[in-house]
Amino acid sequence: MAIEQRERTLVLIKPDGVQRSLIGEILRRYERTGLKLVGLKFLIPDEKTVREHYMSDENWLKSVGDKSVAAYEKKGLKAPFEDPIKCGEAVLERLVKYLSSGPIAAMVWQGNEAVGIVRKITGGTEPLSSDVGTIRGDLTVDSYNLGDTDGRAVRNLIHASGSVGEAEKEIKIWFREEEIIKYRLVQESILYDVNLDGIVE
Ligand code: CDP
Ligand code: MG
């Protein structure tokens, strides 16, 4: 199999997605791209796993902290902490509560540019501003404003890995190697074969 066909990404349908009965709708949106589903499970995560998941990327605390500070500034408010890392830690505590509140569906998708394709379909972090046509933009209503007012994480239905490196680390947290299925999907010959021969009889 060519190297580009092997890129993998992790998707978690968060507890709000499961409670909204959106598992099928969300899966359908990823599935019809042509990406291959190679791992799938349904579980209630413990707090330790959620912490490990978000902390697996050492830059994540800072980047999520920056996002949080920007959201406060946009409202003309001061963030609770000046240090973005401290703001990131506050978001992490909210996320631990959110992700471990009920069952989630975890999946691994594989194929050319899997990380970028899945992020595009998922949409930006805040449902209020996620693009129309994306899962977060179409299927829910949350905003930084409401999340901060209620002191909770932004409920945006999905986690999707942000980079290939992030995906590799995150997949190991949720799946053992033998739980990821290696198989051929017939449509791969249409997606990837150099010559589309063998179609016409
Ligand atoms: O999920 P995504 O990669 O788009 O965003 P992130 O910056 O990695 O943040 C992870 C998750 O934290 C988001 O999906 C939100 O659920 C939550 N979050 C939040 O509640 N408040 C923020 N200011 C930023 C993120
Ligand atoms: Mg992220």
Side-chain angles (χ1 to χ4, degrees):
M1 184 194 290
I3 190 128
E4 63 273 10
Q5 286 171 246
R6 279 185 246 144
E7 187 169 307
R8 287 175 180 169
T9 192
L10 177 82
V11 169
L12 305 175
I13 303 180
K14 293 172 172 176
D16 52 331
V18 173
Q19 295 301 321
R20 296 273 317 282
S21 299
L22 289 172
I23 298 174
E25 168 69 26
I26 291 168
L27 223 133
R28 182 184 75 97
R29 289 184 177 218
Y30 296 129
E31 191 179 32
R32 64 187 182 177
T33 61
L35 289 175
K36 176 163 68 178
L37 184 63
V38 295
L40 180 62
K41 57 170 76 169
F42 191 56
L43 72 153
I44 301 176
D46 58 34
E47 296 190 2
K48 183 172 157 282
T49 309
V50 178
R51 249 177 250 283
E52 204 186 329
H53 166 80
Y54 284 106
M55 295 303 285
S56 64
D57 174 15
E58 67 274 15
N59 300 317
W60 180 81
L61 266 187
K62 164 100 173 55
S63 89
V64 81
D66 285 339
K67 257 192 216 180
S68 169
V69 172
Y72 278 104
E73 280 172 359
K74 204 174 148 208
K75 283 187 288 181
L77 297 175
K78 245 177 83 113
F81 309 98
E82 238 170 71
D83 181 2
I85 303 265
K86 281 239 153 41
C87 284
E89 283 166 355
V91 174
L92 176 63
E93 290 317 305
R94 292 177 179 184
L95 277 168
V96 167
K97 232 173 140 183
Y98 172 26
L99 271 280
S100 61
S101 67
I104 65 164
M107 54 195 85
V108 179
W109 292 94
Q110 182 174 320
N112 185 42
E113 304 286 357
V115 170
I117 301 277
V118 163
R119 288 284 280 199
K120 177 188 66 173
I121 289 167
T122 302
T125 306
E126 186 197 26
L128 169 64
S129 54
S130 320
D131 287 337
V132 171
T134 64
I135 294 167
R136 287 165 168 176
D138 287 355
L139 302 178
T140 192
V141 295
D142 214 7
S143 60
Y144 288 130
N145 211 350
L146 187 57
D148 286 335
T149 303
D150 293 347
R152 58 159 177 81
V154 172
R155 293 179 187 151
N156 55 9
L157 305 171
I158 311 278
H159 167 80
S161 308
S163 67
V164 174
E166 214 176 281
E168 280 167 7
K169 288 183 203 153
E170 290 175 356
I171 289 167
K172 287 201 182 91
I173 292 168
W174 300 94
F175 289 85
R176 295 196 307 275
E177 189 54 40
E178 64 270 25
E179 291 175 324
I180 297 179
I181 313 292
K182 297 182 185 64
Y183 68 104
R184 194 173 69 86
L185 205 54
V186 288
Q187 65 177 348
E188 285 173 305
S189 55
I190 296 300
L191 294 168
Y192 303 117
D193 277 5
V194 176
N195 299 310
L196 285 177
D197 39 22
I199 295 176
V200 179
E201 290 183 332

